[in-house]
Amino acid sequence: MALDVIDLRGFYGSVLGGVARRFIGQFVRSRWEACTGYSVLGVGYATPYLDPFLSEAVRVLAFMPAEQGVVHWPGKGLSSTALVDVTMMPLPDASMDRVLLVHALETSDQPYDLLNEVWRVLTPGGRMIAVVPNRRGMWARVDTTPFGYGRPYSRSQLRELMREAQFSPLNWAEALYVPPFARRYLLRSAPAFESIGSKLALPGAGVHLVEATKQLYSPVMTRRVLRRKVPQLQPALVSAHRMPGDAKRETDD
């Protein structure tokens, strides 16, 4: 189920959206501290997390699914956004060093094809970060935020999807332990929720955060050879002077 770009922009303009951007953005920036000389791509609705890379990356692009819609970004200068089919992105092979997926996997009807396309455009040694709703978290259970739409994942489901798409996870984390309600006292306590939840690795965080790199070679699958049991044939004594039709004639007699 695709989200509407207007709703996404409205959420990130709210106080609760600012909380999500703060804690998810901290993880993204801690993993990608410096992207000088890199090409960075955001897929889905990743623009709230791409601003820090504008001043250092060679290029920063934001691709948004056709079903979602597109907005102009960044606010000043030429737009770096495009409306695309995210399973067939208009980029050459191995052209991007970093790819950030936000509001993408969970709303895609073809998550495997999406990851396959990300694998294609990533450079050898390139990194991807996926932000995916946690199926055990409260954020996936209410539809007042964009994280309540689409298909949430457990960590094991996400790991299996990554494996099938030939990605190797490098770092796992979780974020958004604060309940997804715009209550002032909750939002004021958001840093405490986040600190306690991450230190104790409590279940129920709002999103999974996984950084992965592409596998350069597909694993060789060992095919098991099935041996058929061949029936054992017993030799039969046949006269050297017997003709092929003799056996039939003897039967007829």
mmCIF file of all heavy atoms in Angstrom, residues 40-47 50 60-66 68-70 80-86 88-91 96 100-102 104 117 120-121:
data_model
loop_
_atom_site.group_PDB
_atom_site.id
_atom_site.type_symbol
_atom_site.label_atom_id
_atom_site.label_comp_id
_atom_site.label_asym_id
_atom_site.label_seq_id
_atom_site.Cartn_x
_atom_site.Cartn_y
_atom_site.Cartn_z
ATOM 1 N N VAL A 40 24.993 9.571 -3.301
ATOM 2 C CA VAL A 40 24.009 9.105 -2.317
ATOM 3 C C VAL A 40 22.629 9.119 -2.954
ATOM 4 O O VAL A 40 22.237 10.092 -3.597
ATOM 5 C CB VAL A 40 24.024 9.990 -1.058
ATOM 6 C CG1 VAL A 40 22.989 9.508 -0.050
ATOM 7 C CG2 VAL A 40 25.419 9.998 -0.428
ATOM 8 N N LEU A 41 21.894 8.028 -2.747
ATOM 9 C CA LEU A 41 20.546 7.906 -3.292
ATOM 10 C C LEU A 41 19.570 7.575 -2.170
ATOM 11 O O LEU A 41 19.821 6.695 -1.353
ATOM 12 C CB LEU A 41 20.505 6.790 -4.345
ATOM 13 C CG LEU A 41 19.117 6.367 -4.852
ATOM 14 C CD1 LEU A 41 18.454 7.502 -5.633
ATOM 15 C CD2 LEU A 41 19.225 5.114 -5.720
ATOM 16 N N GLY A 42 18.445 8.292 -2.127
ATOM 17 C CA GLY A 42 17.357 7.958 -1.225
ATOM 18 C C GLY A 42 16.201 7.385 -2.022
ATOM 19 O O GLY A 42 15.864 7.894 -3.094
ATOM 20 N N VAL A 43 15.601 6.308 -1.519
ATOM 21 C CA VAL A 43 14.493 5.648 -2.214
ATOM 22 C C VAL A 43 13.301 5.590 -1.272
ATOM 23 O O VAL A 43 13.442 5.229 -0.102
ATOM 24 C CB VAL A 43 14.889 4.222 -2.662
ATOM 25 C CG1 VAL A 43 13.710 3.527 -3.339
ATOM 26 C CG2 VAL A 43 16.089 4.266 -3.599
ATOM 27 N N GLY A 44 12.110 5.899 -1.799
ATOM 28 C CA GLY A 44 10.904 5.960 -0.983
ATOM 29 C C GLY A 44 10.599 7.411 -0.644
ATOM 30 O O GLY A 44 10.350 8.223 -1.533
ATOM 31 N N TYR A 45 10.646 7.732 0.661
ATOM 32 C CA TYR A 45 10.556 9.124 1.097
ATOM 33 C C TYR A 45 11.695 9.349 2.086
ATOM 34 O O TYR A 45 11.513 9.319 3.302
ATOM 35 C CB TYR A 45 9.210 9.429 1.730
ATOM 36 C CG TYR A 45 8.972 10.912 1.921
ATOM 37 C CD1 TYR A 45 8.576 11.712 0.863
ATOM 38 C CD2 TYR A 45 9.167 11.508 3.164
ATOM 39 C CE1 TYR A 45 8.364 13.078 1.034
ATOM 40 C CE2 TYR A 45 8.954 12.875 3.347
ATOM 41 C CZ TYR A 45 8.557 13.649 2.278
ATOM 42 O OH TYR A 45 8.358 15.004 2.447
ATOM 43 N N ALA A 46 12.877 9.550 1.538
ATOM 44 C CA ALA A 46 14.094 9.640 2.350
ATOM 45 C C ALA A 46 14.610 11.054 2.503
ATOM 46 O O ALA A 46 15.602 11.284 3.201
ATOM 47 C CB ALA A 46 15.192 8.768 1.734
ATOM 48 N N THR A 47 13.944 12.039 1.889
ATOM 49 C CA THR A 47 14.471 13.405 1.897
ATOM 50 C C THR A 47 14.679 14.001 3.295
ATOM 51 O O THR A 47 15.628 14.773 3.477
ATOM 52 C CB THR A 47 13.567 14.333 1.064
ATOM 53 O OG1 THR A 47 12.206 14.198 1.496
ATOM 54 C CG2 THR A 47 13.658 13.973 -0.409
ATOM 55 N N LEU A 50 18.294 13.175 4.159
ATOM 56 C CA LEU A 50 19.361 13.374 3.178
ATOM 57 C C LEU A 50 20.042 14.734 3.275
ATOM 58 O O LEU A 50 21.110 14.928 2.686
ATOM 59 C CB LEU A 50 18.797 13.197 1.759
ATOM 60 C CG LEU A 50 18.312 11.785 1.390
ATOM 61 C CD1 LEU A 50 17.720 11.806 -0.028
ATOM 62 C CD2 LEU A 50 19.443 10.781 1.484
ATOM 63 N N VAL A 60 23.433 13.924 -4.689
ATOM 64 C CA VAL A 60 22.419 13.353 -3.813
ATOM 65 C C VAL A 60 21.114 13.334 -4.597
ATOM 66 O O VAL A 60 20.637 14.375 -5.051
ATOM 67 C CB VAL A 60 22.246 14.167 -2.513
ATOM 68 C CG1 VAL A 60 21.207 13.497 -1.613
ATOM 69 C CG2 VAL A 60 23.565 14.299 -1.768
ATOM 70 N N LEU A 61 20.543 12.149 -4.764
ATOM 71 C CA LEU A 61 19.304 11.981 -5.512
ATOM 72 C C LEU A 61 18.240 11.384 -4.605
ATOM 73 O O LEU A 61 18.559 10.651 -3.663
ATOM 74 C CB LEU A 61 19.520 11.052 -6.717
ATOM 75 C CG LEU A 61 20.586 11.477 -7.730
ATOM 76 C CD1 LEU A 61 20.758 10.390 -8.792
ATOM 77 C CD2 LEU A 61 20.226 12.800 -8.380
ATOM 78 N N ALA A 62 16.988 11.681 -4.904
ATOM 79 C CA ALA A 62 15.861 11.111 -4.154
ATOM 80 C C ALA A 62 14.846 10.590 -5.155
ATOM 81 O O ALA A 62 14.243 11.369 -5.901
ATOM 82 C CB ALA A 62 15.232 12.153 -3.236
ATOM 83 N N PHE A 63 14.685 9.258 -5.199
ATOM 84 C CA PHE A 63 13.721 8.631 -6.094
ATOM 85 C C PHE A 63 12.482 8.241 -5.301
ATOM 86 O O PHE A 63 12.583 7.592 -4.261
ATOM 87 C CB PHE A 63 14.325 7.387 -6.748
ATOM 88 C CG PHE A 63 15.324 7.691 -7.833
ATOM 89 C CD1 PHE A 63 16.046 6.670 -8.426
ATOM 90 C CD2 PHE A 63 15.534 8.987 -8.271
ATOM 91 C CE1 PHE A 63 16.964 6.936 -9.422
ATOM 92 C CE2 PHE A 63 16.444 9.273 -9.279
ATOM 93 C CZ PHE A 63 17.166 8.240 -9.857
ATOM 94 N N MET A 64 11.330 8.630 -5.796
ATOM 95 C CA MET A 64 10.071 8.351 -5.122
ATOM 96 C C MET A 64 9.188 7.491 -6.007
ATOM 97 O O MET A 64 9.137 7.705 -7.223
ATOM 98 C CB MET A 64 9.362 9.666 -4.765
ATOM 99 C CG MET A 64 10.201 10.549 -3.859
ATOM 100 S SD MET A 64 9.329 12.033 -3.307
ATOM 101 C CE MET A 64 10.635 12.837 -2.349
ATOM 102 N N PRO A 65 8.482 6.497 -5.424
ATOM 103 C CA PRO A 65 7.639 5.607 -6.227
ATOM 104 C C PRO A 65 6.525 6.360 -6.939
ATOM 105 O O PRO A 65 5.973 7.336 -6.412
ATOM 106 C CB PRO A 65 7.062 4.636 -5.184
ATOM 107 C CG PRO A 65 7.941 4.755 -3.990
ATOM 108 C CD PRO A 65 8.472 6.155 -4.001
ATOM 109 N N ALA A 66 6.191 5.892 -8.119
ATOM 110 C CA ALA A 66 5.165 6.559 -8.918
ATOM 111 C C ALA A 66 3.822 6.599 -8.197
ATOM 112 O O ALA A 66 3.060 7.558 -8.329
ATOM 113 C CB ALA A 66 5.027 5.848 -10.263
ATOM 114 N N GLN A 68 3.309 6.948 -5.092
ATOM 115 C CA GLN A 68 3.376 7.841 -3.930
ATOM 116 C C GLN A 68 3.234 9.299 -4.319
ATOM 117 O O GLN A 68 2.582 10.085 -3.638
ATOM 118 C CB GLN A 68 4.705 7.605 -3.205
ATOM 119 C CG GLN A 68 5.040 8.616 -2.124
ATOM 120 C CD GLN A 68 6.453 8.428 -1.608
ATOM 121 O OE1 GLN A 68 6.755 7.442 -0.955
ATOM 122 N NE2 GLN A 68 7.328 9.379 -1.922
ATOM 123 N N GLY A 69 3.895 9.679 -5.401
ATOM 124 C CA GLY A 69 3.963 11.082 -5.779
ATOM 125 C C GLY A 69 5.326 11.654 -5.421
ATOM 126 O O GLY A 69 6.120 11.022 -4.711
ATOM 127 N N VAL A 70 5.596 12.840 -5.893
ATOM 128 C CA VAL A 70 6.916 13.440 -5.707
ATOM 129 C C VAL A 70 6.771 14.892 -5.287
ATOM 130 O O VAL A 70 5.792 15.564 -5.628
ATOM 131 C CB VAL A 70 7.738 13.328 -7.019
ATOM 132 C CG1 VAL A 70 7.116 14.179 -8.120
ATOM 133 C CG2 VAL A 70 9.201 13.681 -6.803
ATOM 134 N N SER A 80 16.325 17.647 -6.933
ATOM 135 C CA SER A 80 17.070 16.388 -7.031
ATOM 136 C C SER A 80 16.154 15.183 -6.904
ATOM 137 O O SER A 80 16.622 14.067 -6.684
ATOM 138 C CB SER A 80 18.141 16.333 -5.935
ATOM 139 O OG SER A 80 19.105 17.344 -6.116
ATOM 140 N N THR A 81 14.844 15.395 -7.012
ATOM 141 C CA THR A 81 13.890 14.304 -6.876
ATOM 142 C C THR A 81 13.377 13.866 -8.239
ATOM 143 O O THR A 81 13.389 14.637 -9.202
ATOM 144 C CB THR A 81 12.705 14.706 -5.990
ATOM 145 O OG1 THR A 81 12.046 15.838 -6.579
ATOM 146 C CG2 THR A 81 13.172 15.057 -4.589
ATOM 147 N N ALA A 82 12.917 12.633 -8.292
ATOM 148 C CA ALA A 82 12.337 12.107 -9.526
ATOM 149 C C ALA A 82 11.301 11.060 -9.175
ATOM 150 O O ALA A 82 11.416 10.353 -8.172
ATOM 151 C CB ALA A 82 13.420 11.501 -10.420
ATOM 152 N N LEU A 83 10.278 10.970 -10.020
ATOM 153 C CA LEU A 83 9.225 9.982 -9.873
ATOM 154 C C LEU A 83 9.597 8.791 -10.751
ATOM 155 O O LEU A 83 9.723 8.933 -11.974
ATOM 156 C CB LEU A 83 7.892 10.583 -10.321
ATOM 157 C CG LEU A 83 6.607 9.904 -9.873
ATOM 158 C CD1 LEU A 83 6.446 10.001 -8.369
ATOM 159 C CD2 LEU A 83 5.412 10.554 -10.576
ATOM 160 N N VAL A 84 9.787 7.614 -10.158
ATOM 161 C CA VAL A 84 10.305 6.475 -10.913
ATOM 162 C C VAL A 84 9.581 5.192 -10.513
ATOM 163 O O VAL A 84 8.895 5.131 -9.494
ATOM 164 C CB VAL A 84 11.828 6.284 -10.675
ATOM 165 C CG1 VAL A 84 12.595 7.544 -11.031
ATOM 166 C CG2 VAL A 84 12.103 5.859 -9.243
ATOM 167 N N ASP A 85 9.792 4.160 -11.317
ATOM 168 C CA ASP A 85 9.480 2.796 -10.915
ATOM 169 C C ASP A 85 10.711 2.312 -10.147
ATOM 170 O O ASP A 85 11.783 2.143 -10.731
ATOM 171 C CB ASP A 85 9.234 1.928 -12.148
ATOM 172 C CG ASP A 85 8.918 0.479 -11.790
ATOM 173 O OD1 ASP A 85 9.164 0.071 -10.638
ATOM 174 O OD2 ASP A 85 8.442 -0.264 -12.681
ATOM 175 N N VAL A 86 10.581 2.109 -8.849
ATOM 176 C CA VAL A 86 11.757 1.826 -8.022
ATOM 177 C C VAL A 86 12.318 0.439 -8.272
ATOM 178 O O VAL A 86 13.399 0.115 -7.750
ATOM 179 C CB VAL A 86 11.434 2.001 -6.525
ATOM 180 C CG1 VAL A 86 11.168 3.463 -6.197
ATOM 181 C CG2 VAL A 86 10.276 1.118 -6.093
ATOM 182 N N MET A 88 12.902 -0.420 -11.437
ATOM 183 C CA MET A 88 13.622 -0.202 -12.687
ATOM 184 C C MET A 88 14.127 1.239 -12.701
ATOM 185 O O MET A 88 13.641 2.077 -13.445
ATOM 186 C CB MET A 88 12.711 -0.468 -13.896
ATOM 187 C CG MET A 88 12.296 -1.927 -13.989
ATOM 188 S SD MET A 88 11.230 -2.397 -15.387
ATOM 189 C CE MET A 88 11.012 -0.935 -16.312
ATOM 190 N N MET A 89 15.099 1.521 -11.863
ATOM 191 C CA MET A 89 15.567 2.896 -11.700
ATOM 192 C C MET A 89 16.448 3.330 -12.872
ATOM 193 O O MET A 89 17.252 2.533 -13.372
ATOM 194 C CB MET A 89 16.316 3.030 -10.371
ATOM 195 C CG MET A 89 15.411 2.880 -9.166
ATOM 196 S SD MET A 89 16.198 3.206 -7.560
ATOM 197 C CE MET A 89 16.964 1.624 -7.231
ATOM 198 N N PRO A 90 16.316 4.580 -13.315
ATOM 199 C CA PRO A 90 17.075 5.070 -14.470
ATOM 200 C C PRO A 90 18.514 5.436 -14.100
ATOM 201 O O PRO A 90 18.924 6.600 -14.193
ATOM 202 C CB PRO A 90 16.270 6.301 -14.901
ATOM 203 C CG PRO A 90 15.679 6.812 -13.623
ATOM 204 C CD PRO A 90 15.364 5.592 -12.805
ATOM 205 N N LEU A 91 19.274 4.431 -13.673
ATOM 206 C CA LEU A 91 20.664 4.630 -13.283
ATOM 207 C C LEU A 91 21.519 3.520 -13.871
ATOM 208 O O LEU A 91 21.053 2.377 -14.001
ATOM 209 C CB LEU A 91 20.806 4.610 -11.752
ATOM 210 C CG LEU A 91 20.221 5.786 -10.962
ATOM 211 C CD1 LEU A 91 20.283 5.488 -9.463
ATOM 212 C CD2 LEU A 91 20.967 7.084 -11.272
ATOM 213 N N MET A 96 26.027 4.164 -7.596
ATOM 214 C CA MET A 96 25.768 4.847 -6.325
ATOM 215 C C MET A 96 26.563 4.179 -5.201
ATOM 216 O O MET A 96 26.652 2.960 -5.122
ATOM 217 C CB MET A 96 24.276 4.810 -5.982
ATOM 218 C CG MET A 96 23.355 5.346 -7.068
ATOM 219 S SD MET A 96 23.714 7.048 -7.602
ATOM 220 C CE MET A 96 23.359 7.961 -6.109
ATOM 221 N N LEU A 100 19.766 4.827 0.715
ATOM 222 C CA LEU A 100 18.955 4.873 1.933
ATOM 223 C C LEU A 100 17.502 4.582 1.574
ATOM 224 O O LEU A 100 16.905 5.285 0.751
ATOM 225 C CB LEU A 100 19.069 6.251 2.585
ATOM 226 C CG LEU A 100 18.202 6.518 3.819
ATOM 227 C CD1 LEU A 100 18.572 5.569 4.965
ATOM 228 C CD2 LEU A 100 18.347 7.978 4.263
ATOM 229 N N LEU A 101 16.935 3.522 2.182
ATOM 230 C CA LEU A 101 15.546 3.154 1.953
ATOM 231 C C LEU A 101 14.706 3.565 3.148
ATOM 232 O O LEU A 101 14.925 3.079 4.264
ATOM 233 C CB LEU A 101 15.410 1.641 1.754
ATOM 234 C CG LEU A 101 16.136 1.003 0.576
ATOM 235 C CD1 LEU A 101 15.912 -0.501 0.586
ATOM 236 C CD2 LEU A 101 15.665 1.586 -0.741
ATOM 237 N N VAL A 102 13.741 4.445 2.934
ATOM 238 C CA VAL A 102 12.816 4.866 3.994
ATOM 239 C C VAL A 102 11.413 4.900 3.404
ATOM 240 O O VAL A 102 11.193 5.466 2.322
ATOM 241 C CB VAL A 102 13.176 6.263 4.552
ATOM 242 C CG1 VAL A 102 12.295 6.589 5.756
ATOM 243 C CG2 VAL A 102 14.642 6.347 4.934
ATOM 244 N N ALA A 104 9.840 2.500 2.048
ATOM 245 C CA ALA A 104 10.002 1.870 0.739
ATOM 246 C C ALA A 104 9.703 0.376 0.784
ATOM 247 O O ALA A 104 8.794 -0.100 0.121
ATOM 248 C CB ALA A 104 11.411 2.117 0.208
ATOM 249 N N GLU A 117 17.167 -4.274 -7.399
ATOM 250 C CA GLU A 117 17.523 -3.069 -8.143
ATOM 251 C C GLU A 117 18.524 -2.221 -7.358
ATOM 252 O O GLU A 117 19.448 -1.631 -7.943
ATOM 253 C CB GLU A 117 16.256 -2.270 -8.458
ATOM 254 C CG GLU A 117 16.465 -1.056 -9.348
ATOM 255 C CD GLU A 117 16.868 -1.409 -10.778
ATOM 256 O OE1 GLU A 117 17.118 -2.601 -11.073
ATOM 257 O OE2 GLU A 117 16.944 -0.482 -11.597
ATOM 258 N N ARG A 120 21.820 -3.704 -7.877
ATOM 259 C CA ARG A 120 22.370 -3.394 -9.205
ATOM 260 C C ARG A 120 23.049 -2.028 -9.241
ATOM 261 O O ARG A 120 24.143 -1.885 -9.806
ATOM 262 C CB ARG A 120 21.247 -3.446 -10.257
ATOM 263 C CG ARG A 120 21.738 -3.174 -11.684
ATOM 264 C CD ARG A 120 20.581 -3.082 -12.663
ATOM 265 N NE ARG A 120 19.763 -1.896 -12.475
ATOM 266 C CZ ARG A 120 20.074 -0.689 -12.942
ATOM 267 N NH1 ARG A 120 21.210 -0.487 -13.611
ATOM 268 N NH2 ARG A 120 19.269 0.335 -12.734
ATOM 269 N N VAL A 121 22.426 -1.009 -8.635
ATOM 270 C CA VAL A 121 22.965 0.345 -8.766
ATOM 271 C C VAL A 121 24.083 0.626 -7.754
ATOM 272 O O VAL A 121 24.801 1.620 -7.895
ATOM 273 C CB VAL A 121 21.857 1.406 -8.643
ATOM 274 C CG1 VAL A 121 20.773 1.166 -9.681
ATOM 275 C CG2 VAL A 121 21.265 1.445 -7.242
#
